Amino acid sequence: MSVRLMVVDDHRLLAEALASALKLRGHRVLAAAAPTAGSAEPVVSRAPEVCLFGTASPAAPGVFDPIVRIVQERPQVAVVVLGPVPSPRGIAAAFAAGAVGYVRHDERIEGVERAMLKARAGESAIAPQLLRGAFAELLNPAAQPDDEGRRLLRMLTPREAEVLVRVAEGEDTRLIAAGMRIAPSTARTHVQRVLMKLGVGSRLEAAALAARTGLLDRAAGDGGTARGGYAPEPGPSSGPSASGAGAAGA
């Protein structure tokens, strides 16, 4: 059953190759165009039954804006997106823009043809396994390094975050104490608390974990952990003898 369609893709060679393959299968291809950013105008003016919309970046901001216009001005045009397996946000963005189908860009020509026919009939055209994969990722999202870094940073006090930065820079207990204007024993306690909260057994492990998860960048960039941002910690008493002891310990 012949379909009147247009093919648009960021890569003209891909658009033309797909158009040629579909012509050989008896479909009427009105045009093969690139890039997708300017595809709304020709699609709206020629009003095909189906528009195959190819993109290499389904998660990029604004990539599906042409689909919004096509659907608004030519609601009878069924748009099917051809692209890589994206994040669930990419699939959701395509359907939110008005697409009725999503097909992997490495799908066989028979699969593309089936999607075209379903779209023209008013049905959703997306492979069940692709939909299952999207739902699985939404229900069980993989932890991103940035997310892990944020979670770990929330476990530390601002002062402990500064201690971590200094540990990662190779400062020993005495340098940490001098830089933060605290007693070495207090610096040692902070280091031990940082190691305990991060669940590591050494300063080296703490530094490696912080760098790997993005925690180090977050801690270093936090305004609350700026160098010199803290006053010296008060001693156990405000009396003269306690002040003198604190000064000597720093």
Side-chain angles (χ1 to χ4, degrees):
M1 186 180 297
S2 177
V3 176
R4 192 177 74 258
L5 70 134
M6 288 183 65
V7 181
V8 295
D9 197 292
D10 289 330
H11 301 286
R12 184 173 296 277
L13 286 177
L14 294 179
E16 292 176 349
L18 181 56
S20 297
L22 291 170
K23 284 179 181 177
L24 290 175
R25 299 180 73 86
H27 299 288
R28 182 185 173 192
V29 181
L30 303 182
T36 53
S39 61
E41 187 64 40
V43 174
V44 168
S45 63
R46 305 196 70 168
E49 293 176 302
V50 174
C51 171
L52 295 179
F53 187 96
T55 178
S57 306
V63 70
F64 296 129
D65 287 352
I67 297 179
V68 175
R69 183 185 167 194
I70 291 169
V71 172
Q72 286 177 343
E73 299 190 27
R74 295 288 186 181
Q76 72 275 24
V77 176
V79 181
V80 176
V81 173
L82 305 178
V85 177
S87 67
R89 290 180 182 275
I91 294 178
F95 281 90
V100 297
Y102 195 104
V103 179
R104 291 176 55 139
H105 63 169
D106 58 354
E107 179 62 78
R108 295 172 63 88
I109 191 66
E110 293 85 0
V112 176
E113 191 173 35
R114 283 194 299 271
M116 288 164 38
L117 293 171
K118 290 184 70 173
R120 187 178 66 172
E123 302 176 35
S124 294
I126 181 169
Q129 63 269 27
L130 192 60
L131 198 57
R132 284 197 297 269
F135 278 124
E137 189 173 337
L138 284 171
L139 293 172
N140 303 286
Q144 298 299 316
D146 190 55
D147 296 335
E148 182 67 4
R150 186 181 295 109
R151 183 186 70 80
L152 291 173
L153 184 59
R154 284 199 296 265
M155 296 168 57
L156 305 178
T157 67
R159 187 172 287 273
E160 289 167 349
E162 182 178 353
V163 168
L164 176 62
V165 172
R166 292 179 180 275
V167 165
E169 291 178 350
E171 293 187 8
D172 60 18
T173 300
R174 186 168 297 277
L175 285 175
I176 293 173
M180 297 179 67
R181 295 180 292 169
I182 57 178
S185 59
T186 303
R188 190 175 301 108
T189 298
H190 283 319
V191 171
Q192 291 171 349
R193 286 176 178 170
V194 169
L195 299 184
M196 180 185 67
K197 288 184 177 182
L198 296 183
V200 296
S202 69
R203 298 184 182 211
L204 184 60
E205 288 180 72
L209 176 65
R212 185 175 68 252
T213 62
L215 171 59
L216 188 59
D217 292 334
R218 288 186 171 278
D222 192 306
T225 61
R227 296 299 179 84
Y230 297 111
E233 289 187 343
S237 169
S238 57
S241 61
S243 298

